[in-house]
Every structure is written in structure tokens, then in C-alpha cells.
Amino acid sequence: MKTLLFFRHGKSDWEAAYDHDHERPLAKRGRKAARRMGRFLAGIGQYPDAVITSSAVRARATLELAAEAGAWPACPVRVTRALYEAAPDDLLREVRQETDDTGRLMLVGHEPAWSQTISAFIGGGTLRFPTAALARIDLNVAHWADAAFGQGTLIWLVIPKALP
């Protein structure tokens, strides 16, 4: 079995000075939520074995703050623009490229791709995926290359407001 962790970036700062949406930073609330989610993962012992993150500033900052706050063990991190403005098929392609020594893969990125992709993996439905939310999907496959939509099980979906 393989596990996917979907992590949406924290709330961004729309008032900040930036040239392009890709460069929009996190707001104070987003930084706080990223740290909270990092501690949550540490508390349940579900650290990622590897991470693929959007190259957007807010996604990379969310990952860095969460890992630091949760004191996560070091793991390979791949930064790619492919997760920025991605569609579900783009995410599936990225997942299928992961090496099989990774058991738990984290994807850090954006809406609406995250909720659409989670829905596709679990065979349909609609879900709300707010900023800094985390979801765990278990896939009944031995190899990432075999990952496909419709074969996942949503184990949990946690939002920052639900945590102390």
C-alpha cells in the first residue's frame, strides 16, 4: 500500500507586494496554520518519506514552516512548477514518477486541483479543502507507477481550525 498526503498551502497575503501570483507570500494566519499542521503530523507520526511541492512561494513556505514546527525527519523534496495550476491528470503523472522506496508521499500545492484530485482518487464526491488542510489517501498499490483514480480511500481530512 502507498499513502498520499495532500497539503494545501496556508492562507496567502493578498495585500503583499508581488509581481505575479506565483510569488504571493503567506499571510500571518497562513504561517500559523502551516506550523499547526506540521505539529499535527508529528503528533500522529505520519511524516512524509518524500515531498513534491509547487514552486509557488506560498507552497514552499508552507512546507518549510510545517517541517520545522513538527521537527520532521529530513526527506527528499522535489520543487516543481508542474504542481502550480495543475489538473488532476498532472498530479497523477507526478505521483506515478515517484520511486517505490517512498511509502508516504506528500504533495504541497493548490486548489482547485487538490479537492478535484482527491475526489478522483476516492472515486467521486465533492469536498471542501480549505487553506492549510491536510488529507491522507491510501492507495491499494505496491508501485507508484500503478496509481490510478478510483482506487484510493480517504483516511482523514484535517483543517487547521479543528486543531488546538
Side-chain angles (χ1 to χ4, degrees), residues 49-102:
D49 298 323
V51 178
I52 306 171
T53 183
S54 163
S55 56
V57 168
R58 59 193 178 275
R60 289 182 290 125
T62 296
L63 173 61
E64 291 165 8
L65 290 166
E68 179 182 306
W72 299 355
C75 72
V77 175
R78 183 161 51 96
V79 179
T80 178
R81 190 157 179 119
L83 269 59
Y84 180 73
E85 298 182 340
D89 286 336
D90 300 322
L91 297 178
L92 181 59
R93 192 169 24 262
E94 293 297 321
V95 166
R96 286 179 172 167
Q97 292 177 29
E98 187 60 33
T99 62
D100 285 331
D101 57 332
T102 299

Side-chain angles (χ1 to χ4, degrees), residues 27-49:
K28 180 179 179 181
R29 181 174 131 201
R31 292 189 300 273
K32 182 178 177 182
R35 289 184 190 102
R36 180 178 288 154
M37 299 311 277
R39 289 189 296 272
F40 164 73
L41 273 187
I44 63 171
Q46 304 235 341
Y47 309 103
D49 298 323

Side-chain angles (χ1 to χ4, degrees), residues 4-164:
L4 283 171
L5 298 172
F6 285 86
F7 193 7
R8 184 177 175 199
H9 66 76
K11 183 79 175 160
S12 60
D13 186 353
W14 289 90
E15 304 300 318
Y18 55 91
D19 292 330
H20 184 272
D21 180 72
H22 190 266
E23 305 307 316
R24 188 163 20 106
L26 290 175
K28 180 179 179 181
R29 181 174 131 201
R31 292 189 300 273
K32 182 178 177 182
R35 289 184 190 102
R36 180 178 288 154
M37 299 311 277
R39 289 189 296 272
F40 164 73
L41 273 187
I44 63 171
Q46 304 235 341
Y47 309 103
D49 298 323
V51 178
I52 306 171
T53 183
S54 163
S55 56
V57 168
R58 59 193 178 275
R60 289 182 290 125
T62 296
L63 173 61
E64 291 165 8
L65 290 166
E68 179 182 306
W72 299 355
C75 72
V77 175
R78 183 161 51 96
V79 179
T80 178
R81 190 157 179 119
L83 269 59
Y84 180 73
E85 298 182 340
D89 286 336
D90 300 322
L91 297 178
L92 181 59
R93 192 169 24 262
E94 293 297 321
V95 166
R96 286 179 172 167
Q97 292 177 29
E98 187 60 33
T99 62
D100 285 331
D101 57 332
T102 299
R104 191 177 299 122
L105 175 63
M106 176 180 278
L107 302 172
V108 184
H110 314 273
E111 276 291 281
W114 264 225
S115 58
Q116 292 169 348
T117 305
I118 292 167
S119 293
F121 271 119
I122 64 173
T126 303
L127 57 97
R128 183 175 171 270
F129 207 68
T131 54
L134 268 165
R136 175 181 161 183
I137 305 291
D138 285 353
L139 300 175
N140 192 21
V141 296
H143 308 283
W144 288 110
D146 297 332
F149 293 139
Q151 62 184 194
T153 303
L154 177 63
I155 304 301
W156 47 256
L157 189 158
V158 178
I159 62 173
K161 289 181 182 180
L163 300 175

